């Protein structure tokens, strides 16, 4: 079923009887060519591109809960491609291009809104670093504009410019950055994959791998054994748990990241704004809520809820950037489990077990990567070679010291 304006009008006039479920609810088959574990954004995008781009139709996505219940439905919806390092920039540039054609591609309204991402700077040194990043982006063909204080004031006059400690000295603006309705991304990919024959199997937790003579034969699940030629793991915050079942210890830690949304307010924010003197990022949803967040909780956890010291820290950041936020009432807050890699960059790679592949380590930047990650993982699963934009995302970079340390924090996952 194709969605269109004409279809909406027809259904409105005929009692909405012609809508069909957006995806099927199939029982698992005994064997698939490829199984993708994890029905988050990355798993569903992988299945979609496997079918659409690489002609693989005997594919299943196994999800332990419901699709969209993980980080893909919990994030603060920011997309951008303002990276500095060569290992990252081509990949995120590719992702941004895919976002720009995504809704037409899978015929689903994901509310892709390129309203701009503005990173503020508060010291001369920070401005120099932003200039360098902006130049690197432009050398890679990505849009970047350096604004001075007056340029920022024209965009967002309500910010606290004259703060004695952290005056706003300018900002790096990527106009093509913005926000996307997060759960619609999961639904759009699910619908597109299902239409191409992919089985999306919810309430099906993978509990083990069957590995014989160094080769994966399938997975044990709460709905029985399912055989597979290849298995791709895309379970984000559960990466260490799931790969542990295959006997692998990953260079990844799991941490909680919290997000917050205020009551609906009149439009005030022009786009996404990030505070450079603390860790605070904020945008405004189409319903008017201020959607914001900050740092991860600094300890390892698999809980999908966080603690008060980080709430306080995030709110302090918000208050120093835009003091009027203190008048807004908080509507909701929640947490998601982040797969924090040692250098803050992801892994899309084969493992030493034949037929077993891994996608993870997205830290808190994996939503914006969803389309490129799905495409690159589908490429790897189909062709056994890495996609040209994801060649650097290998396990052995930690062995060889080829870290992609965008933040310059070293091997400290809690700081990335
Ligand atoms: C609060 C918050 C804010 C964020 N903000 C941003 C942002 O603004 N921009 C950005 O780019 N990124 C952001 N992120 C990060 C981004 O959401 C994640 O990096 C990304 O969504 C992870 O990939 P995913 O969508 O595939 O993960 P998920 O949606 O978590 O998918 C993984 C799935 O695997 C399933 N699973 C786990 N174990 C098993 C098993 N044994 N068997 C079967 N299924 C299993 C889980 O149930 C889950 O549905 C944020 C994250 C959080 C939590």
């Amino acid at each position: 079923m194709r969605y269109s304006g004409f279809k909406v009008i027809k259904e409105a006039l005929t009692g909405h009887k012609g809508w069909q479920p957006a995806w099927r609810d199939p029982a698992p088959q005994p064997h698939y060519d490829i199984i993708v574990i994890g029905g988050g954004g990355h798993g569903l995008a992988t299945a979609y591109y496997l079918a659409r781009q690489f002609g693989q139709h005997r594919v299943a996505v196994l999800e332990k809960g419901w699709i969209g219940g993980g980080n893909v439905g919990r994030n603060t919806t920011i997309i951008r491609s303002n990276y500095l390092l060569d290992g990252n920039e081509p990949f995120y540039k590719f992702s941004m291009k895919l976002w720009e054609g995504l809704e037409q591609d899978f015929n689903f309204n994901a509310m892709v809104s390129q309203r701009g991402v503005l990173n503020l700077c508060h010291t001369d040194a920070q401005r120099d670093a932003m200039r360098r990043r902006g130049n690197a982006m432009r050398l890679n063909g990505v849009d970047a504009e350096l604004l001075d204080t007056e340029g920022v004031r024209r965009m967002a006059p309500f910010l606290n410019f004259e703060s004695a400690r952290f005056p706003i000295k300018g900002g790096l603006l990527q106009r093509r950055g913005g926000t996307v309705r997060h759960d619609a991304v999961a639904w759009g990919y699910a619908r597109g994959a299902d239409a191409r024959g992919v089985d999306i199997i919810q309430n099906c937790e993978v509990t083990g791998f069957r590995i014989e003579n160094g080769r994966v034969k399938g997975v044990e699940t709460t709905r029985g054994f399912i055989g597979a030629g290849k298995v791709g793991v895309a379970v984000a915050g559960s990466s260490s748990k799931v790969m542990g079942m295959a006997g692998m210890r990953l260079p990844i830690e799991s941490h909680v990241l919290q997000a917050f949304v205020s009551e609906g307010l009149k439009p005030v924010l022009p786009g996404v704004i990030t505070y450079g003197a603390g860790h605070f990022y904020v945008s405004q949803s189409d319903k008017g809520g201020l959607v914001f967040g900050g740092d991860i909780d600094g300890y390892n956890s698999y809980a999908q809820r966080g603690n008060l010291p980080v709430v306080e820290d995030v709110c302090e950041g918000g208050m120093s950037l835009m003091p009027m936020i203190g008048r807004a009432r908080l509507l909701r807050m929640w947490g998601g489990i982040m797969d924090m890699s040692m250098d803050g960059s992801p892994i899309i790679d084969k493992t030493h077990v034949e037929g077993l592949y891994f996608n993870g380590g997205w830290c808190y930047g994996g939503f914006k990567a969803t389309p490129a990650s799905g495409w690159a993982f589908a490429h790897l699963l189909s062709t056994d070679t890495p996609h040209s934009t994801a060649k650097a995302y290998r396990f052995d970079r930690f062995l060889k010291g080829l870290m992609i340390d965008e933040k310059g924090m070293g091997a400290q996952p809690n700081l990335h």
Side-chain angles (χ1 to χ4, degrees), residues 367-381:
F367 178 63
K368 70 176 90 68
T370 305
S373 163
W375 188 303
F377 203 32
H379 187 285
L380 180 67
L381 280 159

Side-chain angles (χ1 to χ4, degrees), residues 36-44 62-80 83 92 201 204-208 234-239 241-242 245 255-260 281 292-293 304 334-339 359 361-370:
V36 179
I37 307 177
H42 293 235
L44 292 165
L62 307 184
E63 165 54 48
K64 78 171 174 188
W66 65 95
I67 62 170
N71 290 345
V72 69
R74 291 168 180 269
N75 63 71
T76 40
T77 77
I78 300 168
I79 62 164
R80 56 184 173 85
Y83 283 75
Y92 287 97
I201 303 166
C204 182
E205 179 171 358
V206 171
T207 52
V235 295
S238 302
S239 293
K241 271 193 195 167
V242 172
M245 296 175 199
H255 289 256
V256 188
L257 177 65
Q258 306 188 55
F260 308 81
Y281 37 89
F292 55 95
Q304 284 179 317
W334 61 89
I337 312 163
M338 316 310 318
D339 37 333
N359 172 322
W362 292 102
C363 303
Y364 42 66
F367 178 63
K368 70 176 90 68
T370 305

Side-chain angles (χ1 to χ4, degrees), residues 263-297:
E263 61 189 332
L265 302 169
K266 285 184 183 171
V268 54
L269 297 185
V272 180
I273 300 179
T274 76
Y275 180 47
H279 201 171
F280 178 79
Y281 37 89
V282 60
S283 64
Q284 192 164 17
S285 77
D286 290 342
K287 281 196 285 185
L290 300 177
V291 181
F292 55 95
D295 263 325
I296 53 175
D297 286 31

Side-chain angles (χ1 to χ4, degrees), residues 120-133 146 167 169-170 276:
L120 299 174
C121 61
H122 308 267
T123 64
D124 293 343
Q126 222 175 11
R127 192 173 42 207
D128 288 349
M130 276 190 179
R131 182 172 288 129
R132 180 167 172 245
R133 176 178 295 265
L146 195 66
K169 297 229 164 190

Side-chain angles (χ1 to χ4, degrees), residues 275-342:
Y275 180 47
H279 201 171
F280 178 79
Y281 37 89
V282 60
S283 64
Q284 192 164 17
S285 77
D286 290 342
K287 281 196 285 185
L290 300 177
V291 181
F292 55 95
D295 263 325
I296 53 175
D297 286 31
Y299 53 90
N300 298 159
S301 172
Y302 286 105
Q304 284 179 317
R305 61 175 192 279
N307 275 295
L308 286 173
V310 170
V311 177
E312 194 176 9
D313 183 64
V314 170
C315 293
E316 276 173 0
M319 287 296 289
S320 41
L321 180 65
M322 36 194 282
M324 86 287 203
I325 201 174
R327 304 284 298 275
R329 276 172 297 194
L330 206 57
L331 201 62
R332 291 191 298 278
M333 56 195 277
W334 61 89
I337 312 163
M338 316 310 318
D339 37 333
M340 305 298 296
S341 68
M342 294 295 142

Side-chain angles (χ1 to χ4, degrees), residues 110-156:
M111 296 162 72
V112 177
S113 172
Q114 292 177 289
R115 52 184 81 178
V117 171
L118 175 64
N119 301 133
L120 299 174
C121 61
H122 308 267
T123 64
D124 293 343
Q126 222 175 11
R127 192 173 42 207
D128 288 349
M130 276 190 179
R131 182 172 288 129
R132 180 167 172 245
R133 176 178 295 265
N135 284 336
M137 288 164 64
R138 290 175 82 136
L139 285 171
N140 272 302
V142 174
D143 66 304
E145 284 168 53
L146 195 66
L147 303 185
D148 59 11
T149 309
E150 288 315 306
V152 175
R153 204 189 295 274
R154 274 194 294 278
M155 275 188 79

Side-chain angles (χ1 to χ4, degrees), residues 20-27 29 32 57 59-60 67 190-191 193-202:
Q20 291 156 18
W23 54 85
R24 295 164 298 132
D25 184 21
Q29 295 174 27
Y32 291 92
H57 299 288
V59 175
I67 62 170
R191 181 173 169 275
D194 175 89
R196 289 166 177 80
V198 172
D199 282 358
I200 296 166
I201 303 166
Q202 303 181 73

